[in-house]
Amino acid sequence: MDILRPHDGIIILPIATDLDTEHVVSIQPSLEALVDDHAENIILDFTHVTFIDSTGIGAIVFLFKRLTSQRRTLSLLKVSGQPHKLMTMLRVENAIPFIEDIPESSADHSA
């Protein structure tokens, strides 16, 4: 899993696969490492995610709770299609911001 750091304080993690039970098990160690090994805020890039199930939602909510307990933030980038419909129905966006672009200050300081 590639981690992009466009600016100090933010890590962008592209999700390259759907977030179903099978795939969440394979990326869970990477998500845990983000929380344990880094101090930055996190943006999960959903550009290539076309499907999410309850296990995927649970992994995101768990990550969000761990980050907020450390006064860090989580945002979801480019959520669309079925993931957007399900997360909107479950009101995930009320707790975790959905964003369409990387914040300007981050883009201006890309490496």
Side-chain angles (χ1 to χ4, degrees), residues 3-111:
I3 296 174
L4 307 175
R5 287 192 179 111
H7 184 265
D8 290 342
I10 298 176
I11 291 176
I12 299 178
L13 181 65
I15 306 296
T17 185
D18 292 338
L19 287 177
D20 57 15
T21 303
E22 176 184 347
H23 294 110
V24 167
V25 169
S26 68
I27 68 165
Q28 193 67 38
S30 297
L31 295 178
E32 292 292 325
L34 280 177
V35 174
D36 295 339
D37 300 340
H38 300 281
E40 293 88 358
N41 297 313
I42 297 173
I43 296 174
L44 295 181
D45 184 351
F46 271 71
T47 301
H48 301 291
V49 178
T50 60
F51 179 80
I52 191 168
D53 66 10
S54 60
T55 306
I57 299 282
I60 292 167
V61 170
F62 183 73
L63 177 62
F64 171 73
K65 287 181 177 183
R66 296 249 343 252
L67 291 170
T68 55
S69 74
Q70 298 175 9
R71 297 185 181 193
R72 295 164 60 194
T73 62
L74 175 66
S75 300
L76 306 179
L77 177 66
K78 298 190 185 268
V79 179
S80 63
Q82 184 269 348
H84 186 272
K85 288 178 186 175
L86 181 58
M87 286 193 264
T88 300
M89 183 178 73
L90 296 172
R91 299 180 184 199
V92 170
E93 80 282 2
N94 290 343
I96 306 170
F98 289 8
I99 59 174
E100 287 302 313
D101 294 303
I102 297 168
E104 287 297 320
S105 60
S106 299
D108 291 344
H109 295 89
S110 294

